[in-house]
Every structure is written in C-alpha cells, then in structure tokens.
Amino acid sequence: MAETGASPLPPAPPARSPMVRAEQFVWLTARVLEQRLFAYHFLNGGPDPVETALDAYRNEDGGYGHALEPDLRGPVSQPLHTAHALRVLDAVGRCGGQRVERVCRYLTSVSTADGALPAVHPGQRGYPAAPFVPIVDDPPSELLATGPVVGLLHRNEVWHAWLFRATDFCWEAVESLEKSHPYEVEAAVAFLDAVPDRSRAEAAADRLGRLVREQRLAALDPGRLGAYPVAPGYAPGEHHFPHDFAKSPRSLARGWFTDEEMARSLDFLAAEQAADGGWPIRWRQWAPAAALEARPMVTIEALRTLEAYGRPTG
C-alpha cells in the first residue's frame, strides 16, 4: 500500500556568511572603485586596479572631484574628495611618491590663511551638494577636513611644507576642543592616531575621551539609544558608537571604552547588515545616487572594522 501524508520538506539552503552576502551586494551596487577595493581587502586583489579606478576622479590641479565623496557632486576638486582619495591610497599602501606630492600642492592651493583646510571650497557652488554641506565664499578652517588628511600624511611619512602649519592647526584645534560632535571627534582621532609626537597625542586623546563620555557623544548601550542625544544638525537616529571612534584595537580611542562597551558596539555593528548584504548609512539621505554610492563604502568599512577586532565575517 502506498504511503500517504505530506512530502518531506527539502533541506534548508546553507546560511551564507556575512562576507558572501556583502560581496553580492558590492557586485550588485558598487562603483568600480569600491568593487576594486573590496577585491583588494577580501579577495586577494592587487593595488594596481584600485589606483587605476581612483585615477578617474583625479583632476589636473592634483586634487580629486567627480563625486568621489558622494555628497558633493560635480567635477571640481574638493578637500573632502582629496581626503577620500588619500584614504584609498593609504588602504592599498600607495600613499606616497609623486602622486601625493601633487596632492600636497593642491592642498596648499586651497588652504586657508592659517594653513588648514576648509571642508568645502567655494568652487562647489553651482554643482549639486548635500543640503547639510554649507558653501560660503570665505570658508573657515575645519578640523573635520584637516585632521584626517594630516594624520594620513604623517602615517605614511610624507613630508611637505604644507604639513607643518596644518599640523600646528590640528594640535591647537584638538587641544582646545570643548563642545564637540562625533564627526569632529573622529577627525581628531584620525590625527592623533598618526601624529609623530606620541606622548602629546596620548595626553590629548585621554582628555578627548573624557569629553566624549561627559557629553554622551558615543552610544554605549545600543539597546537604549533614547538615552543618548543626537548632535544638532544630524539626522534623526544618527548615533555614533564606540566602533565609530575606535575603528581598530590599535586606535587611541579604544582606551575610552570598556571591553563590555566595545563588545556591545561590535555586536550592534554586525547585526546592522541588511537583508541585501550591505550595511545602512546613518546620516541624512538627500539624493538616491548619493545614498546608493555610499552604502558599499560603509559596507567595506564595517567589514574591515569587524575583522580588525577578530570578529568572524567569512
């Protein structure tokens, strides 16, 4: 007699790892540059294809434009684009030589009177830009723009006349910070993690860490986000977490947080991976293209942070 009853269910497909899911997301959505970066970091790719992809954004003045930083559109060179380019070159071990010499000449040409960088040069006017990026005729010096660039150049032992005054600006800006906001603090950390005077950097980082905790700039408990204020001008829910400040265990900012706080932060970061395999952006979204281009960048950064702390991704 034939057996009756429901047919057995087929076996469930094996769960895909965070890395596999992220790879599919990158191939589906990313620009060529981020595809090449993903391959370099996670698929044994070489640095040459990354440099080739980055060259598409380089201008004759030595700076970078063409929406390399997605929130600034248009062809003109900008300090924020150029800082992004330096991060890419640093990531693949190519932050030096004549290419960086040309970058330093560009930085000199757009510096303010005190030798530092504005966030946005007024040449951006007339091209699309995020509404939260102010464009003014005489922009002030910004630690937000200068700190990461100076830190990258010091880490790669690049020496240029521009760097001396810019370093002095960063020291003064960092050591005088009182009321701050997360992105500015992250820029300060990028400077302090690489500047040669390590004892001074450690003292400044210690003071900055106390400021971060006193002003509740880091959400130490992701399960209680309502207890942490969002900085003025930020998007609703645009919190920053310990892993945003200490992107690796080697960062001076790692000492600001307990092991438990960092573990909760990394758990939260891992859990943020969306169903499509990418990580979300938390800042204010203003144009579909900018959001689409930013998500692969955020995804690569999330994977690198998790791997830096030894969290499994593969």
Side-chain angles (χ1 to χ4, degrees), residues 161-183:
W162 174 81
L163 192 56
F164 293 98
R165 292 187 66 201
T167 300
D168 289 342
F169 167 83
C170 289
W171 276 125
E172 183 177 356
V174 169
E175 292 177 335
S176 63
L177 279 179
E178 293 297 339
K179 181 67 175 175
S180 190
H181 59 93
Y183 288 122

Side-chain angles (χ1 to χ4, degrees), residues 256-291:
W256 300 351
F257 309 108
T258 68
D259 290 347
E260 181 181 3
E261 289 165 348
M262 185 57 68
R264 283 199 301 260
S265 181
L266 293 169
D267 288 344
F268 178 81
L269 176 62
E272 272 198 306
Q273 188 175 23
D276 62 7
W279 267 259
I281 58 175
R282 294 197 297 268
W283 60 86
R284 195 180 303 278
Q285 300 182 37
W286 64 281

Side-chain angles (χ1 to χ4, degrees), residues 10-58:
R16 296 192 302 167
S17 71
M19 185 65 71
V20 169
R21 293 164 57 206
E23 181 181 354
Q24 292 300 306
F25 173 77
V26 166
W27 295 134
L28 178 65
T29 66
R31 305 180 296 191
V32 172
L33 175 59
E34 281 71 44
Q35 292 177 18
R36 298 297 199 185
L37 274 171
F38 186 93
Y40 174 83
H41 288 303
F42 308 116
L43 301 175
N44 297 314
D48 288 345
V50 178
E51 277 201 277
T52 299
L54 184 63
D55 272 344
Y57 299 90
R58 185 163 55 89

Side-chain angles (χ1 to χ4, degrees), residues 130-306:
F132 47 81
V133 178
I135 302 171
V136 297
D137 289 332
D138 188 18
S141 300
E142 294 277 3
L143 178 62
L144 187 69
T146 314
V149 169
V150 172
L152 281 168
L153 294 177
H154 278 303
R155 181 161 65 245
N156 289 276
E157 298 182 348
V158 173
W159 293 103
H160 187 275
W162 174 81
L163 192 56
F164 293 98
R165 292 187 66 201
T167 300
D168 289 342
F169 167 83
C170 289
W171 276 125
E172 183 177 356
V174 169
E175 292 177 335
S176 63
L177 279 179
E178 293 297 339
K179 181 67 175 175
S180 190
H181 59 93
Y183 288 122
E184 186 174 52
V185 173
E186 290 174 24
V189 171
F191 168 72
L192 294 174
D193 276 347
V195 71
D197 190 338
R198 300 314 300 152
S199 59
R200 187 176 179 183
E202 290 167 4
D206 184 64
R207 189 188 78 87
L208 195 57
R210 292 195 300 272
L211 181 151
V212 165
R213 297 187 75 94
E214 290 166 2
Q215 298 182 12
R216 302 175 69 79
L217 300 183
L220 303 179
D221 185 353
R224 299 176 55 250
L225 292 181
Y228 299 93
V230 174
Y234 284 31
E238 191 178 351
H239 293 94
H240 288 238
F241 301 88
H243 66 261
D244 290 312
F245 299 100
K247 298 183 187 300
S248 86
R250 298 182 301 277
S251 173
L252 290 174
R254 175 61 186 87
W256 300 351
F257 309 108
T258 68
D259 290 347
E260 181 181 3
E261 289 165 348
M262 185 57 68
R264 283 199 301 260
S265 181
L266 293 169
D267 288 344
F268 178 81
L269 176 62
E272 272 198 306
Q273 188 175 23
D276 62 7
W279 267 259
I281 58 175
R282 294 197 297 268
W283 60 86
R284 195 180 303 278
Q285 300 182 37
W286 64 281
L292 181 66
E293 292 172 359
R295 283 194 67 206
M297 294 158 50
V298 171
T299 296
I300 292 170
E301 183 174 333
L303 291 168
R304 293 190 69 198
T305 298
L306 290 169

Side-chain angles (χ1 to χ4, degrees), residues 46-73:
D48 288 345
V50 178
E51 277 201 277
T52 299
L54 184 63
D55 272 344
Y57 299 90
R58 185 163 55 89
N59 287 321
E60 291 298 319
D61 60 8
Y64 289 76
H66 306 279
L68 178 56
E69 187 65 40
D71 283 334
L72 297 176
R73 317 302 291 186

